[in-house]
Each structure stands twice: as C-alpha cells, then as structure tokens.
Amino acid sequence: MIRINLLPFRAARRKENVRRQVSIFILMIFLFSAVLYYYTSYVDKKIHRVRQNIASANTQIARYRDKAERVTKIKKDLDNLKKKLETISALQSKRRESVTLLDEMTDLIIPGKMWLTSLKIYEARVEVKGLAYDNKIVADFMTSLESSFLFSNVDLKTLELKTFAREFNLKAFELACKKKPAAAKADQKGKK
C-alpha cells in the first residue's frame, strides 16, 4: 500500500487559515477604527455647530436683554409720567375748585359785619370759622350758604361769645357743610 504524507499540506492549510483570520482581524480593527474616526468627526462637527448656535443665541439674548431692559425702563418711566400727569390734572381741578369755593364764600359774607378766620376745604366737606357781630348775622350767612349752588347741609358746630380788648363782644362760630356735586359743573361754567 502506498502511503501519502498529507501533514505538510494540512500544516500549510492551517497556516493559511491562521494568516487569513489574522488579516481579517486586522482588517476588521482597521475598518472599526475608520468607522469610529468618521463617527467621532461627525459628532465633533455636530457639537461644534451646536456650540456656535449656542454662542450666537447667547449674543442675541444679551442684545435683546439690553433692549428688553430699555423697554422695561421706558414703560416704567411712562407709568411714572402718567401718574404725574394724573396728579397734575387732579391738582389743577382742585385748584380751580378751591378758588371757586373761596370766591363763592367771599360773595356770601356780609361785609363789615362778619369775618372769616379759617376756611378748610376737604374732599367732600368744608369747615368755616369766623367772627360776627351777633347770632342773626351767623344765621343769615348759614341761610346764604344753604341757598348757594356749591354748598349743602350747613351745620353749626359751635357759637360762643368772645371779648376783644375788653370792649368788643363778637360771636365766634364754626360751621361745617358739604360740597355739592354741582361744584364741578359750576367750576367748568366759570372756566368758559
């Protein structure tokens, strides 16, 4: 029988298989490294773009924040200005009202027989203090106030006798009355 030695052939085949597996392994490592490199580059570019967008957004935020702060300041200044204008218009109307009330009050005084010592004007009422020769003059003054278009509900708070320089006896009086709502209308009639 003839014997053939196949061992060198099998050994060569094994070496070839090992060489092939090693080259496939090295090729796989190379391909994996290349894919990993390209993926890392792609992710880095994406991160770089996102950082640029964030930086751009931050600069826009800073620019718009300044504008928003200016707008807020302007709105606050406008509110303050509106409040000041409302205060000025309220003071203007109060000033005219006070002048109208004082003018009407001086028209109602009985000249030479009575004098006003104090006039206080509040939101809805007026307090008057003064001196008169007698009770009838105070009563006439109260009646004229009642019939006036500016005053109502005239009330005598106090009436007392005061002596001046040991010779003159005068009646000191204190009145309270309400302002009529028509006072504003009369004020506007006076303006025209």
Side-chain angles (χ1 to χ4, degrees):
M1 171 159 163
I2 301 176
R3 287 184 134 187
I4 300 176
N5 187 3
L6 294 176
L7 284 178
F9 178 73
R10 284 186 185 166
R13 200 187 237 179
R14 272 192 208 151
K15 280 183 182 179
E16 185 65 32
N17 280 341
V18 167
R19 214 179 295 140
R20 191 181 310 146
Q21 285 178 358
V22 167
S23 21
I24 288 175
F25 180 72
I26 290 173
L27 184 63
M28 290 299 288
I29 287 177
F30 178 73
L31 285 176
F32 181 72
S33 298
V35 168
L36 192 61
Y37 173 76
Y38 286 117
Y39 181 73
T40 305
S41 325
Y42 172 75
V43 169
D44 283 345
K45 286 179 185 177
K46 216 173 182 181
I47 288 172
H48 182 68
R49 253 186 272 129
V50 168
R51 284 187 179 156
Q52 283 179 338
N53 289 343
I54 288 173
S56 172
N58 284 337
T59 57
Q60 286 180 352
I61 286 172
R63 186 174 60 214
Y64 291 132
R65 183 181 298 134
D66 292 341
K67 289 180 181 180
E69 287 173 0
R70 276 191 270 150
V71 167
T72 304
K73 185 179 181 287
I74 289 171
K75 283 183 180 180
K76 185 178 177 183
D77 290 345
L78 279 174
D79 287 341
N80 287 339
L81 185 61
K82 284 180 185 177
K83 287 178 185 176
K84 287 177 182 178
L85 287 174
E86 288 172 0
T87 304
I88 288 171
S89 65
L91 287 173
Q92 286 286 353
S93 68
K94 296 281 184 189
R95 180 180 63 122
R96 288 187 193 107
E97 181 182 4
S98 298
V99 170
T100 305
L101 289 174
L102 185 60
D103 186 41
E104 181 68 19
M105 189 68 69
T106 55
D107 288 345
L108 297 175
I109 290 176
I110 301 168
K113 296 183 180 182
M114 68 177 294
W115 301 268
L116 294 181
T117 57
S118 171
L119 176 66
K120 293 182 182 176
I121 301 171
Y122 298 103
E123 190 68 33
R125 62 186 171 87
V126 177
E127 290 182 1
V128 180
K129 291 181 183 178
L131 300 169
Y133 279 128
D134 57 16
N135 293 344
K136 181 170 180 357
I137 294 172
V138 174
D140 290 343
F141 179 63
M142 287 175 64
T143 305
S144 347
L145 281 176
E146 272 294 336
S147 64
S148 170
F149 64 92
L150 294 175
F151 306 103
S152 66
N153 298 343
V154 179
D155 184 29
L156 180 64
K157 286 186 168 184
T158 60
L159 181 66
E160 38 183 65
L161 182 65
K162 288 205 174 185
T163 305
F164 293 95
R166 296 185 187 181
E167 295 178 19
F168 298 106
N169 290 330
L170 297 175
K171 298 287 183 168
F173 63 90
E174 186 177 339
L175 300 173
C177 56
K178 292 184 180 178
K179 291 191 285 185
K180 285 185 181 176
K185 292 178 187 173
D187 179 35
Q188 289 186 3
K189 284 181 188 174
K191 278 189 351 188
K192 292 179 184 176

